[in-house]
Amino acid sequence: MVETETKVQRYRSYKDSGIEWLGEIPEHWDIESFKNILTERNEKNAPIRTKEILSLSIDKGVTLYAEKTTNLDRFKDDFTKYKLAHKGDLVFNSMNMIVGAVGVSDYFGCVSPVYYTYHGSNKSNTTKFYEYLFRCKTIQRVLYSLGKGLMAIDRGDGKYNTLRLKVSRDDLRSMKLPLPNFSEQTLIVEFLDNKTTKIDEAITIKEQQIRLLKERKLILIHKAVTRGLDENVQLKDSGEEWIGEIPVHWKLKRFKFLATSNKGKLPNKIVSIDDDNLPPYMSMDYLRGGEGNQWVKDKDAFIIDENEILLIWDGSNSGEFLKSRKGVISSTVAHIIFSNINKDFAWYHSMVLEIELRKNTIGMGIPHVNGRVLNNLAILLPPFSEQKEIVDYLDDGTKKIETAISLKQQEIEKLKEYKNSLINSVVTGKVKVC
């Protein structure tokens, strides 16, 4: 359990920082330009001193590229084109620092030419203090105002909108920032390291609990869909290794005889303002409950009603089934239409199919649903009355589990909000750590 009340107090006296986003700071703190706080290390990797490529992400900070398994960037083969980052350096991704792509490196390695690297004195915690500062939402809004250019925003369907905002070296170096003395920077860093570690550990535990709840939900669905509700029912071999035995009175048919899959198409025009009662565009974020911020202006758009069964056909989540919201699907998503089966039973059954489907995707770069595998997947058919009983049972059981998951997710969000608030308050001098 993480204490959400921290022993903190205000400093004895404050002064106006003269910076709108910062407000008042402790009387004994200074204000300095970033260029006078940390020194830029614009050091080329020529001649080659290392072939250890470093990557920078919003969630993990600076990591070894060799350990990455997802979102693999395209790096140059010529190592002399890279810049060097030393252990303890503060590294910024000039293209993504507006959303928190900044971190202190624990490694000596080389980084992309679009990264900025800065260092302080060897024994100070200055780089770590400013890592915390630059991860604050308050300062990220300032960086956003300084951004220029284009940024690629993933719409969630393999397509991108462009809106890239690069913060220039000169704008970053000219930023006025709070500057506590070295000893106070160390106290702040040690305090935040301790507190954020505990918060992160609590978040990890709750995420593990959510994973276990999701596994429990899937086990509940799998058992009901493949065995029914009667524990004493006579069983027979289904002929499918991944299903095993099924009730003797159940039938089995292939997907291709019970369902059709209709892929959507990329709309001709997507707009960011709904000025004509337009249908929303179903990006992955929107499908997963996010707010709609894109609409389709296309008379031939493929519009789907709410609560239809969708299948993600292409991309990292290919093979996943989702319930639709009303809107337009693109070519990376298929509308699945079942016949001669209870629609809600078909939805629960699709979660069982998903396991096999995701194990058998095809494609060297971008994964795709294997249409042949999909068409030959087995669908189990209890009598209609039994399908209804199973649906009622699962509606009740899964609702309880989903409520528990929702509560855990809310707890995680509160912990994240507390963590961000704590960091912001401490590094801007609004509270004094004890």
Side-chain angles (χ1 to χ4, degrees):
M1 184 70 183
V2 174
E3 294 181 10
T4 54
E5 295 294 331
T6 302
K7 292 182 180 180
V8 293
Q9 63 186 32
R10 297 268 295 171
Y11 286 89
R12 183 174 300 173
S13 59
Y14 285 80
K15 64 184 178 184
D16 184 8
S17 68
I19 303 171
E20 184 179 356
W21 64 266
L22 185 57
E24 290 186 330
I25 60 171
E27 183 73 38
H28 63 287
W29 284 24
D30 293 322
I31 294 293
E32 270 290 357
S33 297
F34 185 57
K35 63 185 176 184
N36 296 326
I37 299 173
L38 292 175
T39 304
E40 184 172 12
R41 189 191 299 282
N42 199 8
E43 194 176 340
K44 305 283 189 189
N45 192 28
I48 296 173
R49 295 178 58 190
T50 178
K51 292 186 178 180
E52 188 72 81
I53 300 173
L54 305 181
S55 185
L56 178 60
S57 68
I58 297 166
D59 295 330
K60 297 183 179 179
V62 180
T63 55
L64 297 173
Y65 178 76
E67 296 178 355
K68 288 190 69 173
T69 57
T70 59
N71 299 321
L72 300 180
D73 309 301
R74 294 178 182 176
F75 283 101
K76 303 175 185 296
D77 294 328
D78 185 356
F79 285 91
T80 63
K81 300 297 183 184
Y82 293 94
K83 295 161 64 173
L84 291 176
H86 292 243
K87 185 175 181 178
D89 282 1
L90 182 61
V91 183
F92 296 85
N93 182 336
S94 65
M95 300 293 190
N96 288 325
M97 71 171 76
I98 63 170
V99 288
V102 55
V104 172
S105 177
D106 290 326
Y107 316 97
F108 172 68
C110 52
V111 296
S112 164
V114 302
Y115 289 6
Y116 305 144
T117 55
Y118 289 85
H119 66 91
S121 59
N122 290 334
K123 295 183 180 179
S124 76
N125 279 289
T126 304
T127 54
K128 187 64 179 176
F129 174 84
Y130 286 99
E131 176 187 23
Y132 278 121
L133 181 66
F134 277 99
R135 282 184 170 268
C136 291
K137 298 297 182 184
T138 306
I139 201 168
Q140 286 172 16
R141 286 192 286 270
V142 178
L143 292 170
Y144 184 87
S145 70
L146 298 173
K148 299 179 179 68
L150 299 173
M151 181 177 189
I153 296 183
D154 186 0
R155 298 199 315 229
D157 60 354
K159 308 295 180 183
Y160 293 84
N161 290 338
T162 50
L163 176 78
R164 187 139 213 157
L165 297 176
K166 176 181 178 179
V167 177
S168 72
R169 175 180 286 101
D170 289 342
D171 283 339
L172 177 63
R173 285 164 49 82
S174 298
M175 287 187 71
K176 299 289 186 181
L177 302 173
L179 179 62
N181 60 48
F182 285 162
S183 61
E184 198 163 1
Q185 288 176 25
T186 298
L187 285 174
I188 289 172
V189 166
E190 289 176 350
F191 172 83
L192 288 176
D193 281 351
N194 177 266
K195 288 294 181 183
T196 58
T197 296
K198 290 179 179 177
I199 294 170
D200 290 341
E201 287 172 351
I203 290 172
T204 298
I205 290 170
K206 292 184 185 301
E207 288 173 338
Q208 290 171 343
Q209 291 170 341
I210 288 174
R211 281 194 291 271
L212 289 173
L213 285 167
K214 288 181 176 179
E215 287 177 11
R216 186 191 301 175
K217 175 183 171 181
L218 187 56
I219 290 169
L220 181 74
I221 292 170
H222 191 282
K223 183 178 179 182
V225 167
T226 60
R227 287 291 184 98
L229 307 180
D230 184 356
E231 295 286 348
N232 300 313
V233 69
Q234 186 179 350
L235 300 174
K236 66 179 179 181
D237 184 9
S238 68
E240 300 287 330
E241 185 178 350
W242 63 276
I243 294 177
E245 292 185 318
I246 62 173
V248 70
H249 63 288
W250 285 20
K251 295 179 181 178
L252 182 151
K253 286 191 176 182
R254 301 296 164 189
F255 179 92
K256 60 187 173 184
F257 299 122
L258 287 171
T260 56
S261 53
N262 300 321
K263 290 187 72 177
K265 72 182 188 71
L266 184 66
N268 291 326
K269 189 174 183 180
I270 298 174
V271 296
S272 57
I273 298 175
D274 181 14
D275 57 359
D276 194 22
N277 198 27
L278 300 170
Y281 176 72
M282 279 196 276
S283 64
M284 287 301 106
D285 179 63
Y286 183 65
L287 273 172
R288 297 184 194 281
E291 293 185 10
N293 57 8
Q294 294 175 311
W295 291 265
V296 175
K297 213 167 189 175
D298 182 352
K299 62 182 179 62
D300 297 321
F302 194 166
I303 301 176
I304 300 294
D305 288 329
E306 191 174 8
N307 286 325
E308 293 295 306
I309 299 175
L310 302 180
L311 173 62
I312 301 177
W313 202 272
D314 306 297
S316 59
N317 294 310
S318 60
E320 178 182 357
F321 287 90
L322 292 168
K323 278 284 187 75
S324 71
R325 301 171 73 177
K326 185 168 184 177
V328 177
I329 62 172
S330 75
S331 58
T332 62
V333 178
H335 178 204
I336 306 300
I337 304 172
F338 284 93
S339 59
N340 298 318
I341 185 173
N342 181 296
K343 187 174 180 180
D344 294 319
F345 180 80
W347 163 245
Y348 284 121
H349 203 310
S350 68
M351 296 184 195
V352 178
L353 299 181
E354 183 177 307
I355 301 170
E356 286 302 303
L357 203 53
R358 298 201 71 173
K359 282 195 289 186
N360 291 283
T361 56
I362 54 176
M364 294 294 292
I366 299 175
H368 311 284
V369 166
N370 187 324
R372 182 184 59 79
V373 170
L374 173 64
N375 282 326
N376 286 292
L377 283 176
I379 305 287
L380 302 177
L381 294 173
F384 275 100
S385 59
E386 196 170 347
Q387 291 179 33
K388 181 65 169 60
E389 289 175 3
I390 291 171
V391 167
D392 291 342
Y393 168 78
L394 289 177
D395 282 349
D396 181 62
T398 58
K399 184 179 180 180
K400 293 174 182 175
I401 296 174
E402 285 163 3
T403 298
I405 290 172
S406 178
L407 290 172
K408 294 294 179 186
Q409 289 171 334
Q410 290 173 34
E411 290 170 2
I412 288 173
E413 287 307 308
K414 287 179 181 178
L415 284 169
K416 288 180 177 179
E417 288 171 8
Y418 168 62
K419 176 182 174 181
N420 290 332
S421 175
L422 179 66
I423 292 171
N424 185 76
S425 297
V426 172
V427 296
T428 60
K430 303 302 180 287
V431 296
K432 178 182 179 182
V433 300
C434 298

